Every structure is written in C-alpha cells, then in structure tokens.
Amino acid sequence: MAGIAADSPGTPSVNSRPLHYLRDVILHGKFNILNSLLPEESLHCRHGLYFQDGLRRVDYILTYHIKKPSSSRSRRSSRLTDNAFTRSLRRGRAQPPPPPPPPPAPPSPLPKGDAEAGGMADHSLDYHEDDKRLRREEFEGNLMEMGLELEKDEDTKTPGVGFVKIHAPWNVLCREAEFMKLKMPTKKVYEVKQSSSVVEKINTFIHKVTDPLHPNTEENRTQKVKHLSYPFSREKQHLFDLSDKDSFFDSKTRSQIVFEVLKRTKCTKAKYSMGITSLLGSGVYMAAYPLHDGDIDGENVEPNDRKLLYEEWASYSVFYKYQPVGLIRKYFGEKIGLYFAWLGVYTQMLIPASLVGVIVFLYGCVTVDDDIPSMEICDDRKSIVMCPMCDRVCSYWNLSIACSTARASHLFDNPATVFFSIFMALWAAMFMEHWKRRQMRLNYEWDLTGFEDEEDHPRAEYEFRVMQKSKRRELKTQKKPSEISEEPRNKWKQTVQTAMAGLKLAEKEKLTCKDRFPAYMTNIVMMLLMIGVTFAIVFGVIVYRISTKAALHMSSNPTTRSNVRLTVKATAAIINLVVILILDEVYGAVARWLTVLEVPKTDKSFEERLIFKTFILKFVNAFTPIIYIAFLRGRLVGRPGSYLYVFESYRMEECDHGGCLMELCIQLSITMLGKQLIQNNLFEIGIPKLKKLIRYIKSKRAAFQEEEREKRLQRYETDHFLEPFAGLTPEYMEMIIQFGFVTLFVASFPLAPLFALLNNIIEIRLDAKKFVAELRRPVAARAKDIGIWYNLLRGVAKVAVIVNAFVISFTSDFIPRLVYQYMYSMDGSMHGFVNHTLSVFNVTDFKNHTAPMDPLYLGIPVHLCRYKDYREPPWSNTPYDLSKEFYAVLAARLAFVIVFQNVVMLMSDVVDWVIPDIPKDISLQIHKEKILMVDLFMKEEQGKLQVLDSMLSAGKDNSNTNNHSTVARSRSTPHARSNNY
C-alpha cells in the first residue's frame, strides 16, 4: 500500500507542521506510508474505513484498472514516492510556506523512446493505458493541490483493480462547506414552540398510542429543543460547537464535499478540461463512490447508521412501522430522504382510499341480487334472441347466457361508483396538499428553508461537444497558407494571438438551438415512431382477439365454444402485459438515447428531459390498451347488416351485453398487478443480484470462496462489488404510473387503491433493502422538493377527473339507467330497461356471406334478432337510423361530463385553498428563527463594540495617565532644581 498524501502523508498539512514533528514521525514510525498492511493491522484501519494510520477517515473511493506491474516499475514508484516525500520535507523547513504551484501545462503525446523521467513509461503497457495513467497522476496531483489527502492501495484481494482512498482534512471541509453554504447547527438552542394545550394533549395521546409504530431511532423521538442553524463560515466558527471536529461533519456531508471537489477539479492532459465525470466516462477511472459506514450483520459488527437502517427500516419484520426519514436523510441525503418521505405519505394516504374502495366493492356484492337489469338478463323465461357476435361461424344466442357477465359488471358498475370517483378526485387533491405540508415541515426540520438550487457543473458530454465546436471554429478562423507566408516575421505573435483567441472562444462557446436542431428533429421523429409502435401493437392485439374469437367459435368442443369470451379476454390481457413489460425496457433505453443526443448542459437539465420523455412513452405504453377498451371498443362496430371491417374480413369487436366496464376492469387489474409483481418486485430483486454475480464472475472470484474472501475484504473492496446507484428516476416512475392506475380509471376498478397499498408496503422495504445492502452508497444530494415529479402528479390528478367523468358517462350504464328511470319508465323503476336498450334487426337484411351458417342453432327459426343500440326498427319510415332515445342519452352524457368535471375541479380548488401549504406552527418557528438569528448577530456586534470601547477607553486612560505623569514631572523639576541649588 503506497501513500500519496499530497506532500503531507500522515498529517492534514505538512507545511503547517514544525520540523521537529516530522522528525518524531519518522523516528517513531508514525509515518508508515510504504509498508503494506499486515493481517493483524487490518483492525487498526477498521476494515478499510480509515487510512493506514487508523486516524484519517476514508471519505471517497476512486477505482481504476491495473495490470500486474514489473519489478522495475515497482522500484520506480518507490523512488518517486521518496522524492515526493523529500520535497515535502524541504518545504517543511522553509519558514514562510511557498505559494501553491501553478497548474501543470498539458504535456505533449508520449514519443517512442522517451525516457519519461527516468523510465516511467512501462513498455509492456500500450499507449492508451499510459495515457490513462498520466491523466490519473495529473488529476490526483490537482486533488492534492486542492487540499485533499490520498492513499493508494493496489495490493488488494480484488485482482485488476486499484483503489485511491480520499480524505478531506478539516481545513478543506470548512472551506468547501462555506462555498456550498451548508447550514450547520450553532451553539444557540431554542425551545420549539408547541401548539395550543388542547392540540398538544391530542398529539401526545396520539404519539403514545402509535408508539409501537415508530422506529427505535433518535430522530423519531419528540424533541422540544432545536439548534439554530446558519450557513457555515470560517470567520464565524465561534458560533458553532466545534468541540468534536471529527463528528461535526458527518460521513454524508464529508462525501458530499469531496464529490464537489472532484467535480470541480480538472484534468487538462486531453487538451480540454475534464472533471471526474469525464474521467469516469473515458475509462480513466472505473468507479467513484463514498463508503458505507460499516457492515449490517455479523457477530462483531460495530453499531453504525447503516446497521440501524437495516434493522429498523430494511427488514420485512418492521413493515408496520413508520420509516425513519430523519435517519434516511442523515445517511443518504435530502434527495433520497424526500423520495422515501413522499412514498410514505402516498402509502399512508392509500389507506383511506383502500377502505372506501373495499366498501364500494362490497356494496356491489350486497346489491347484486337486487339489480333489476341483471335479473331481467338472467331470466330464462324471457327468451330474447340476440344477433350473432361474428359473421357466419357465430349463430344466434339467448341473452340469458350473459347472466354471469351482467352480475359481475354490477360489482363495478353501480351508483356507488360515481361517489367513489368524486372521492378519489378529492383524495388526489388532499394527497397533494398533505405532501406540500409534509415537505415544508421536512424543509424546516432539515434546515432547507431558504435553500436554492445552485447551478450544476456542465456535464462531460456537453464539455466535449463544446470543445469540438470550438476546434471547428478555430480551424475556420485560421489564416490560409498564402496569408501566413506573407507575414514570416510575426509567427510568434500570430501563435500567441491564435492561442488567446482560441481560449476566449472556448470560454464563450456554447451549444445553441441550431447545434441541437438535428437532435430535436430526431427526438420528435423517434417519439412519434415509438407512440406509433404502441398503437400498432394495440391494433395487433385487437386483430388477435377478433380472429381468435372466430376460430374458437368454429371449434367442435362445446366447452371451448362456451368459454370463448373468457379465454379471449384473459389471453389478450396477458399478451398486452407482456408487450408492456418489454416495451417499458425498450422505451427507457430509447428515452435515454434521445436525451443524450440533445446534450443537455447540466445533470439537472438532463434528468428533467429524460424524465419527461420516459414518462410520455411509458404512460402511452401502459394506458393505450386501457383507453381503447374504455372509449373505443364497441363504438366503432356499426350494426347488423352494416358492420365495420378491418382488412375487409375482420369485423370490429363489440362489448358484452353487460358493457365494456367488466373488460376494462380485467385489463386494468392484470396490467396493474402484473407490472407490480413482475416489473417492480421480481426485476428489482433479481436484476441487482444477477449483476452482482456477473461482477464476481468477471473478477474471477469463485462462488465457493466468496464467503471466506468476504470476511477478509476491506470496506472499499466490498462496496466495489455492489450495484452502482442509477438515480431515483426508475423508483419515481413506477410510482407515478401506479398513481395513474389508482386515479385515472378507478371508476372501473375500485380495488386498485387496495392493491397499490399492498404493493407499496412491500415496495418500501424492498427499496430500503436495496439501498442499504445491494447498492453502493449514493452521493448525498441536497433538494428542497421532489422536482418535476410534483408537476407530473398534478397533471395526472387533473386528467383523472376528466377520464373518470367520461368512464362513468360513456363506458358504464349509469347515465342510460338514469335517463330511462326518469324519462321512459312507467313506474319510475328499472323494469323494462333491458328491452329499452335493445334494437330490432330483420335477419333477411344480412348481406351476402354474413348470415349464420347454422341459423337453427337454437332449435327454432329466427326472423328478428336483437342488438344493443338505440336505433329505429326495420318497420319504421327510417329503418336502422339512430333514434331520439340515442340523442337524449348522448345529451345527458355530455351534460354529466361537464357538471362532474366542474364540480370536482371546484371542490379540489376549495380543498387547495382551505388547506395552507405551510403549517402554522412551522411558519411561526421559521419566523422565530429569523428573529433569534438577528438577535444573535446583534449581540455579537454589541459585544464587538463593547470590546472596542473598552480598548479605546483603556487607551485614553493610558494617555491621560501619561499626561498626568508628564505634568507632575514638569512641576517637580523646579523644586528639585531649587533643592540642588
């Protein structure tokens, strides 16, 4: 293990240490930078969490690919380390520390035969490996100039991987915390004002009742005092409690600070600036990650936040407990903490929605025997002959066959459905308001009030494109060879001017809309193409249903013919599910590729564009089959004798006599449950484990040796084999799609909130276990809200009101029943409703080759058959035209949509207006903090003025004393003289 501790191996800063300290360090062996760790010394560095000295904590890890070095190369590394150490000693002897050296100039490419400073280049490595090594050396040197301390470890049990351990000393932490404006707790402590006595007693009672539901962590205990927070400042360090500097900045903050330095530090050997993201993308480094705090299981595992999270959050045995959101934020950062807080609020809000949905479903079960229309359909005494469901192979059938479908439809199509749709619209508004209040409370508790998103560093791809553009611009602006020959005396001046112009051009250069226009056009074309692919697949499933239904009707097996509808519905829904799962993965990759083409400038811009594209594609993919069944199926059919056909042979499919709502429920339930079970759970469990296994195989680690090797691995080696963190976009996306299932078509599936609740209870613990045990520790990111996801939620909630209005009005039979009951019923009841909705068709009007091949299937000749529609009978003056009942029902449906939409929107706005976004107690506490902060600084200024006044008064007293003594001496001089005389 070799140390490269920035000319300061062993102490935070060699320049700041006296010479006798360095002598003692060398004499007493405290400065052991070249010795390899012995097995018994591994406990001293605490399993890889600390440097070799056991004192400096590892804040970040960089990994890179290495090849087995030759002996000459090892000797050369030792000489280089010794030279660096000697230089540090020479600098330590100087009294005034020298200014930091200028950044190194970009070296020229390595020529063949170059000695490279005494033979640094190993001839066994190719040019690319040497280039990567040179970039690493320059980048690590720049990191050391920034004040970070590094230590290398290439002699590990992980073959082919080298590790660079990074430690941020105290002065660097203070400097970067001030730059990043991190709010830190001050010494000032104030009492958190409680609510009124009655409210406080109620809250205390609720807290006692729900005490078993709270995790056993310090963050979830009620705290009556709070430290006043203030952005860290090195000039005001006296405001903060720095008694324990090792714990003042926790591990999450330390890694966050180091990552900022890594992003800001540049490597210029590639002729343009490269930060850590560029170096990772070009393969100079394999990975960069902070370390987990320790192990999560074992006999002698020391207590740490990771172990506590695993026990109180990531275990399925605590599924009934609240999440330790404060500890999640402390360990993973505000951005991940906000995600799990939002997921917890969403899951809690699903509890009342699930209860109401179950009640609505039970109401349908209880009242199914009292439903008059379904009773009329099931009455065998009423022999209602229906027209064939398909051409030729299908024959006439009795309406009583649809008895089971009609009874099942009543479970989801009843008067309670309208109430549930209104309730869910208000529930969505309540959920959004509740989350805003919860978010403001977390902002106050996490000291995020007043935090504004800072402009992020440009992405590596953006810098590369800008560099390419500037190079092309330089080539265009260069003078022609003829013009250069005319000024042979000004070559040096021309070179300097060209270099300065190129530098200014690179600084001012940026990508414009003109540069991105091809990418924009590609995005539009590809998005439309992907949406067209979705429509084409839905159309293909429609053709499958039509052709399969006709084929099954031709079967000689009576069981097969009797179960045609169920077979076709179930298989088509499963096909849709499989296609949705496959296209989800394809669309995710396509969305990322399209976003990369746009070359967004910052990571935030990249993430927002990726989220928008992914959401559009996955939303269309998931809901297009459902939208077809809800609004298009059964309305593009035509009538007997004049049906609509696809490819001139496939007749468009109709809804069952019970309506399309039952089929909509089947499609929605299979899609929702399938996505949750397969995509959200199986994939999340299986894929990370599979990738981890592949990494172990690639690293030539045998499966039977894994357990034994795991016991001897350092912490940074163990974390290297974990899955890299890929961001929160997949986690949010699956929840947003689920929110769409819960709200958009809830009128057809009132049990959707219940299934979503059960899924989320598992999802929270599954995600928790993945973050704690399966993933590398993410870099902590600050955020005050959930960003673009909140806007997507609001959009889905608004669209849900309109969709449910149309589902109730056009898909269900709620409006036709109301119209019949109040306009056409003789006694105000539903008796005769079925007959009212059926039109009459004369079988002699069938076109050629469309009449049933077996007209005597029912055993009797059929002259008139019925079909569901509002049309004139064949004996009227306008046979088969739409009747006046059709227009009456259509007018009622449109009126219902308008009234429902406006009433629900108005009620949602009232809820939004009545519930304030900021809780009153939080607004009072924020105001109190501002007053306390002003008082704190006023007292500090008054103290400074008092000290200054005391110093001035002391100076005046001294001057007066001096004056008095001078006068006394002047008065005593004559007297003395007189005595002398």
Side-chain angles (χ1 to χ4, degrees):
M1 185 181 294
I4 52 171
D7 296 330
S8 56
T11 57
S13 177
V14 172
N15 295 335
S16 63
R17 298 293 187 183
L19 185 60
H20 66 82
Y21 176 83
L22 297 175
R23 184 183 66 250
D24 293 340
V25 165
I26 299 172
L27 292 178
H28 294 87
K30 298 178 184 177
F31 209 38
N32 190 16
I33 62 172
L34 297 178
N35 295 335
S36 299
L37 277 176
L38 298 176
E40 61 270 12
E41 292 176 329
S42 62
L43 293 177
H44 185 60
C45 65
R46 307 181 199 180
H47 305 286
L49 291 172
Y50 289 80
F51 273 22
Q52 188 178 354
D53 55 15
L55 300 175
R56 293 171 291 172
R57 185 178 182 89
V58 177
D59 298 319
Y60 220 86
I61 289 291
L62 301 179
T63 67
Y64 56 92
H65 177 71
I66 57 173
K67 293 185 177 180
K68 187 175 182 181
S70 61
S71 59
S72 61
R73 196 176 173 194
S74 300
R75 291 194 298 270
R76 181 177 65 253
S77 300
S78 301
R79 290 198 301 271
L80 288 174
T81 307
D82 292 338
N83 292 336
F85 179 57
T86 305
R87 289 196 300 271
S88 68
L89 289 178
R90 287 201 299 268
R91 283 201 292 270
R93 294 191 183 96
Q95 294 297 330
S108 58
L110 291 175
K112 292 184 179 180
D114 191 358
E116 187 62 19
M120 285 184 63
D122 191 356
H123 297 290
S124 63
L125 300 177
D126 57 10
Y127 171 78
H128 295 290
E129 291 297 327
D130 286 340
D131 184 59
K132 290 179 180 179
R133 177 172 52 81
L134 290 175
R135 294 188 193 181
R136 284 197 300 269
E137 290 175 357
E138 186 202 356
F139 183 71
E140 290 162 7
N142 293 339
L143 290 179
M144 292 187 287
E145 290 179 3
M146 294 292 291
L148 298 179
E149 297 176 3
L150 312 182
E151 188 176 75
K152 277 190 177 181
D153 186 3
E154 295 185 352
D155 186 19
T156 64
K157 300 178 182 62
T158 306
V161 181
F163 296 88
V164 179
K165 297 177 283 187
I166 303 177
H167 169 76
W170 174 254
N171 58 336
V172 174
L173 294 174
C174 294
R175 181 191 70 204
E176 298 298 327
E178 184 175 356
F179 291 165
M180 297 168 64
K181 301 178 182 179
L182 295 179
K183 273 191 173 184
M184 304 301 295
T186 63
K187 298 177 183 178
K188 178 67 176 178
V189 178
Y190 68 95
E191 183 179 359
V192 178
K193 185 178 179 181
Q194 301 294 330
S195 306
S196 61
S197 58
V198 178
V199 177
E200 184 178 357
K201 291 180 180 179
I202 295 175
N203 291 335
T204 304
F205 174 76
I206 294 175
H207 190 272
K208 288 182 179 179
V209 173
T210 59
D211 185 65
L213 302 179
H214 291 277
N216 188 21
T217 57
E218 292 291 336
E219 286 74 11
N220 285 278
R221 294 186 176 91
T222 304
Q223 299 182 1
K224 297 183 179 180
V225 295
K226 186 178 185 294
H227 285 271
L228 189 66
S229 297
Y230 183 74
F232 187 83
S233 173
R234 288 173 289 181
E235 297 179 356
K236 300 184 182 298
Q237 290 191 27
H238 58 278
L239 297 177
F240 306 93
D241 184 10
L242 303 180
S243 58
D244 187 6
K245 292 184 178 180
D246 292 336
S247 61
F248 183 74
F249 295 105
D250 56 16
S251 60
K252 176 258 300 183
T253 307
R254 296 175 70 95
S255 63
Q256 183 180 4
I257 288 174
V258 174
F259 182 65
E260 283 295 321
V261 178
L262 290 174
K263 287 197 299 183
R264 196 170 63 243
T265 305
K266 301 296 182 182
C267 174
T268 59
K269 284 191 180 295
K271 299 182 181 180
Y272 66 99
S273 297
M274 295 179 69
I276 185 60
T277 54
S278 302
L279 295 175
L280 289 171
S282 59
V284 177
Y285 289 102
M286 296 169 57
Y289 53 90
L291 293 182
H292 282 291
D293 279 355
D295 293 325
I296 56 178
D297 53 6
E299 297 179 358
N300 301 320
V301 175
E302 298 180 357
N304 57 77
D305 288 341
R306 187 190 184 195
K307 186 175 186 296
L308 185 60
L309 280 172
Y310 188 80
E311 294 173 349
E312 296 293 330
W313 181 46
S315 176
Y316 290 104
S317 61
V318 294
F319 73 93
Y320 60 91
K321 288 188 177 183
Y322 296 117
Q323 298 182 91
V325 179
L327 185 60
I328 297 171
R329 172 253 180 179
K330 178 185 176 183
Y331 193 78
F332 292 110
E334 287 79 7
K335 193 170 184 179
I336 294 177
L338 280 174
Y339 163 70
F340 283 104
W342 173 84
L343 183 57
V345 170
Y346 172 48
T347 304
Q348 289 177 7
M349 290 294 293
L350 283 173
I351 296 176
S354 302
L355 292 176
V356 177
V358 170
I359 293 172
V360 170
F361 179 75
L362 293 178
Y363 171 82
C365 295
V366 171
T367 59
V368 66
D369 292 331
D370 300 329
D371 183 51
I372 296 176
S374 60
M375 291 171 61
E376 292 182 347
I377 294 175
C378 296
D379 191 358
D380 294 333
R381 295 172 299 178
K382 296 182 179 181
S383 180
I384 302 177
V385 179
M386 302 296 297
C387 295
M389 297 293 293
C390 59
D391 291 341
R392 294 186 61 77
V393 295
C394 299
S395 186
Y396 306 106
W397 55 284
N398 283 323
L399 182 61
S400 58
I401 297 177
C403 176
S404 58
T405 305
R407 290 174 62 87
S409 298
H410 179 75
L411 301 179
F412 307 98
D413 187 4
N414 53 69
T417 303
V418 181
F419 161 77
F420 190 57
S421 298
I422 298 174
F423 171 81
M424 287 304 295
L426 298 180
W427 173 87
M430 290 286 292
F431 164 60
M432 304 301 293
E433 294 302 315
H434 181 35
W435 167 244
K436 282 194 291 186
R437 290 169 63 84
R438 174 67 171 158
Q439 185 174 261
M440 288 303 303
R441 189 174 295 276
L442 291 177
N443 284 340
Y444 163 73
E445 294 175 356
W446 294 351
D447 298 320
L448 293 173
T449 54
F451 169 74
E452 296 293 337
D453 293 331
E454 300 176 0
E455 186 176 357
D456 201 356
H457 298 279
R459 297 176 66 249
E461 292 81 359
Y462 182 84
E463 291 180 342
F464 181 74
R465 285 288 299 275
V466 169
M467 183 271 296
Q468 288 183 326
K469 182 179 179 181
S470 63
K471 283 186 175 180
R472 290 195 298 267
R473 188 71 61 89
E474 289 177 16
L475 293 176
K476 291 181 180 179
T477 55
Q478 284 179 352
K479 294 185 177 181
K480 298 178 181 180
S482 58
E483 296 176 354
I484 295 176
S485 60
E486 294 175 0
E487 299 179 0
R489 299 180 181 180
N490 296 327
K491 287 184 178 180
W492 172 252
K493 181 178 179 181
Q494 179 183 358
T495 303
V496 173
Q497 289 178 349
T498 303
M500 294 299 294
L503 180 62
K504 293 180 180 179
L505 189 64
E507 292 177 352
K508 296 181 180 179
E509 200 71 67
K510 63 179 182 180
L511 297 182
T512 61
C513 292
K514 182 179 179 181
D515 299 323
R516 292 192 174 101
F517 181 75
Y520 288 153
M521 293 302 299
T522 305
N523 270 259
I524 294 173
V525 173
M526 287 300 298
M527 290 285 286
L528 294 177
L529 178 62
M530 293 296 102
I531 294 174
V533 168
T534 303
F535 290 162
I537 291 176
V538 172
F539 181 75
V541 175
I542 294 171
V543 175
Y544 161 80
R545 275 200 294 257
I546 297 171
S547 58
T548 304
K549 182 183 295 185
L552 293 178
H553 273 292
M554 298 173 64
S555 174
S556 59
N557 190 344
T559 306
T560 303
R561 291 198 303 270
S562 60
N563 296 321
V564 167
R565 296 174 184 174
L566 181 61
T567 304
V568 171
K569 291 175 187 176
T571 56
I574 292 174
I575 291 173
N576 269 322
L577 172 63
V578 173
V579 170
I580 287 172
L581 294 178
I582 295 174
L583 289 183
D584 264 355
E585 302 301 321
V586 175
Y587 288 166
V590 170
R592 178 169 291 276
W593 173 65
L594 293 177
T595 309
V596 169
L597 284 181
E598 292 184 17
V599 197
K601 183 175 182 180
T602 62
D603 288 330
K604 182 180 179 181
S605 176
F606 180 90
E607 185 180 16
E608 289 182 349
R609 297 186 185 196
L610 174 62
I611 288 170
F612 182 75
K613 294 182 183 66
T614 308
F615 174 76
I616 293 296
L617 292 177
K618 291 193 174 184
F619 188 87
V620 171
N621 181 39
F623 289 100
T624 299
I626 300 173
I627 291 173
Y628 163 74
I629 294 176
F631 303 123
L632 298 179
R633 183 175 178 180
R635 288 165 181 80
L636 304 175
V637 178
R639 60 171 180 82
S642 181
Y643 285 116
L644 296 179
Y645 290 88
V646 179
F647 303 135
E648 298 182 356
S649 58
Y650 295 107
R651 198 177 93 186
M652 290 297 293
E653 54 186 346
E654 307 176 41
C655 290
D656 289 334
H657 187 77
C660 282
L661 205 64
M662 187 61 192
E663 296 185 31
L664 177 62
C665 176
I666 294 174
Q667 179 68 54
L668 186 62
S669 59
I670 291 179
T671 304
M672 181 179 178
L673 297 178
K675 279 179 64 67
Q676 291 180 350
L677 292 176
I678 298 175
Q679 191 176 45
N680 299 352
N681 294 333
L682 272 180
F683 285 2
E684 288 191 11
I685 295 174
I687 290 180
K689 291 186 178 297
L690 181 62
K691 289 183 177 179
K692 185 178 180 181
L693 178 62
I694 293 174
R695 282 195 299 273
Y696 273 115
I697 295 174
K698 285 184 177 181
S699 63
K700 300 178 182 179
R701 293 169 51 87
F704 64 91
Q705 297 176 347
E706 177 180 341
E707 184 176 355
E708 292 299 324
R709 289 175 176 265
E710 200 72 36
K711 295 179 181 178
R712 301 196 299 267
L713 286 180
Q714 300 291 333
R715 177 78 264 155
Y716 47 86
E717 295 179 84
T718 305
D719 287 2
H720 173 71
F721 291 101
L722 297 178
E723 179 72 12
F725 175 64
L728 290 171
T729 299
E731 314 296 336
Y732 272 114
M733 188 63 66
E734 66 184 57
M735 289 296 108
I736 296 294
I737 298 298
Q738 184 199 85
F739 183 77
F741 284 123
V742 169
T743 56
L744 286 175
F745 294 94
V746 74
S748 63
F749 190 36
L751 295 180
L754 176 63
F755 289 116
L757 174 63
L758 297 177
N759 173 81
N760 288 3
I761 292 175
I762 302 174
E763 181 75 18
I764 289 176
R765 307 303 162 181
L766 186 64
D767 285 346
K769 191 171 185 179
K770 180 174 66 174
F771 271 82
V772 174
E774 299 291 340
L775 297 180
R776 292 174 187 163
R777 187 175 183 178
V779 180
R782 288 185 295 171
K784 63 179 181 180
D785 51 38
I786 60 176
I788 191 176
W789 298 109
Y790 183 80
N791 297 327
L792 294 178
L793 282 171
R794 287 188 64 90
V796 172
K798 297 293 185 184
V799 173
V801 177
I802 303 173
V803 170
N804 281 300
F806 276 94
V807 168
I808 296 172
S809 180
F810 286 90
T811 308
S812 74
D813 282 338
F814 178 74
I815 299 301
R817 292 186 182 192
L818 283 181
V819 172
Y820 174 79
Q821 187 174 3
Y822 292 102
M823 291 184 63
Y824 299 103
S825 177
M826 302 298 296
D827 54 359
S829 66
M830 294 301 297
H831 289 287
F833 172 73
V834 175
N835 185 65
H836 177 76
T837 58
L838 297 177
S839 299
V840 181
F841 178 73
N842 192 339
V843 297
T844 59
D845 294 332
F846 273 121
K847 293 184 178 179
N848 295 332
H849 308 295
T850 60
M853 293 186 296
D854 185 11
L856 298 177
Y857 178 77
L858 295 178
I860 58 173
V862 177
H863 303 287
L864 297 175
C865 64
R866 311 293 295 273
Y867 62 98
K868 190 175 181 179
D869 204 349
Y870 292 99
R871 291 184 180 272
E872 296 291 342
W875 52 81
S876 67
N877 296 329
T878 55
Y880 306 125
D881 285 350
L882 296 174
S883 62
K884 60 180 181 180
E885 289 85 358
F886 170 82
Y887 294 104
V889 172
L890 178 62
R893 283 173 167 169
L894 295 176
F896 176 83
V897 169
I898 296 172
V899 173
F900 182 90
Q901 176 183 342
N902 286 279
V903 169
V904 174
M905 290 286 189
L906 178 62
M907 295 173 68
S908 300
D909 292 340
V910 170
V911 170
D912 191 1
W913 175 70
V914 169
I915 302 177
D917 294 344
I918 305 177
K920 187 176 181 180
D921 60 328
I922 296 300
S923 60
L924 292 176
Q925 295 295 341
I926 294 174
H927 182 66
K928 182 179 180 180
E929 277 195 358
K930 292 180 180 179
I931 296 176
L932 290 174
M933 189 63 67
V934 173
D935 292 342
L936 181 64
F937 283 107
M938 290 300 295
K939 290 179 181 179
E940 184 182 359
E941 293 296 327
Q942 291 175 1
K944 290 180 181 179
L945 291 175
Q946 289 177 0
V947 172
L948 184 60
D949 292 340
S950 62
M951 293 175 61
L952 292 176
S953 61
K956 290 181 179 179
D957 292 340
N958 292 334
S959 61
N960 292 334
T961 303
N962 293 333
N963 292 334
H964 288 311
S965 62
T966 303
V967 172
R969 285 196 301 270
S970 63
R971 291 180 179 177
S972 62
T973 300
H975 186 267
R977 288 176 180 175
S978 63
N979 292 336
N980 291 334
Y981 285 114

